[in-house]
Amino acid sequence: MNNLRSIALAFALLPSPLLGQSEAVVRRLVLQGVSVVDASLEASSRPNRTIVIAGGTIEDVFETGAKDVPADAELLDLPGRFVVPGLIDGHQHFSLGSTERRMARLRFLLRAGITTVRDPSGDARVLGYLGLQAERGEILAPEIFYAALIGGPGFSEYGPVAAISDGYTPGLAPWVREVGDTTDLERVMIEARVVGARGIKMYRYLSPELTLKVAEAAHAEGLLVWSHARIRGHNGSDIWATRPSQVVQAGALVLSHAGHFACEVQPCRSGEERGRAVATVPPDHPAIRAVLQDMADRGTILDPTLVNAEVANDEAYWLRFAAEVTSLAIEMGVPIMAGPDIPDNPDDQEFPLLNRELELLVSEAGLSPWEALVAATATAARAIGEERRRGMIQPGMRADLVVLEADPLSDIRALRSPAVVIKNGEIVSQAR
């Protein structure tokens, strides 16, 4: 085990390609005359501000005219424009598909103002390489944070496992593991860290007891814990089924899919039973309220995936149930993050599905535009462990910013058409 820890430490201490470039000139960029909108301002904006960016960091934010701007800075005079933090798509999947298609999707998202994405399950070799290229600015892409996927006995036989662990025996790749009662979970978590996973995602066939053990092992190694809200049982049985309340009690930080909360009330041993539960369980059932209250008390984040509910299911009651659970969650104080969990198709879309997710949060779940914006910035940043670096417009934070022509607090659809996108202090897209 000490050898594995040494390997993990060695990876963490690898020198950055920028180290040693002590004489590199720090570029300064100034946005002047803008209205700032972020999570620190409830349902309002801070008008006539100047944002000073040094390198990839926000150096200062002040009322325009209150201070002199650096003489060597590139100045963008933007009166009447609105600036929000770079958006974070909290639920995407990139590792499958052709390289050309993957790169087109990443460019499409970044140019639309999505500067960071969370991929909770995929091939870590692909995601790690893409993430490194994105971090270095070698490709036009958002930053990528990803997980190691964890399932219980029989998980290796689940179809997608083989696809994202090519070259490994299914269930034994460090980023997609089948575990059981005798598995060395400490080793599993260290290997996940070595391949660059920010967290784990608990997915299928985990009993309540094994769910707790997996979450505890992840926390012990400093990994975030993400999960489906309900962890499906094996072969339609209840043997390894775990309800949302048990996932919350295990200490998961993020629960995905609001539709799964019906499984707190009725058995969901198959897709058919889950559909029946979603169609018949009241979204405000006392058992669901109890889970949401526990989430609010713990600060557990709900990733409702309303676009998934809208697109992946023909019946309208899927979206209605998911939206009403989300509405109740925000009312009870549960943090909400935004992610569509449906791949974007740049050839057929004018704007990313994250925008559709935000608009559904407003139109169907009743969130205010400000609450929806927070779901794709500050809350999503906490979900990936980046709340001290991303998701806010404050000195010391990463300079990931989106300049808008209109006020997103008046209409969340203003996010569809960014005028300027800045990632890590560099302008990566600018409307003509």
Side-chain angles (χ1 to χ4, degrees), residues 279-319:
T280 59
V281 170
D284 62 348
H285 189 283
I288 294 176
R289 280 185 170 273
V291 179
L292 295 176
Q293 186 59 62
D294 196 13
M295 291 177 68
D297 293 343
R298 294 169 181 262
T300 308
I301 297 168
L302 173 61
D303 166 31
T305 64
L306 298 185
V307 166
N308 181 287
E310 179 184 47
V311 173
N313 305 281
D314 293 333
E315 297 86 354
Y317 61 74
W318 281 91
L319 175 58

Side-chain angles (χ1 to χ4, degrees), residues 89-91 118 120 147 198-203 211 215 219 223-231 244 247-258 260-261 295 298-305 334-339 375 378-385:
D89 188 327
H91 204 135
R118 180 184 76 117
R198 176 57 62 96
I200 64 161
K201 180 181 179 180
M202 302 188 295
Y203 190 58
T211 296
H219 288 141
L223 290 165
L224 300 173
V225 178
W226 307 327
S227 182
H228 270 192
R230 148 273 203 175
I231 300 177
V247 175
V248 175
Q249 290 159 15
L253 174 62
V254 178
L255 270 65
S256 293
H257 308 306
H260 286 193
F261 281 73
M295 291 177 68
R298 294 169 181 262
T300 308
I301 297 168
L302 173 61
D303 166 31
T305 64
V334 176
I336 306 295
M337 67 179 291
T379 302
R382 184 165 76 85
I384 58 175

Side-chain angles (χ1 to χ4, degrees), residues 353-366:
L353 289 171
L354 176 64
N355 293 84
R356 177 63 179 163
E357 183 78 16
L358 295 173
E359 291 163 20
L360 288 173
L361 286 173
V362 173
S363 65
E364 302 300 318

Side-chain angles (χ1 to χ4, degrees), residues 372-396:
L373 180 65
V374 172
T377 54
T379 302
R382 184 165 76 85
I384 58 175
E386 289 284 301
E387 63 269 35
R388 295 184 179 180
R389 300 182 65 227
R390 303 171 198 262
M392 300 278 279
I393 303 176
Q394 296 179 354

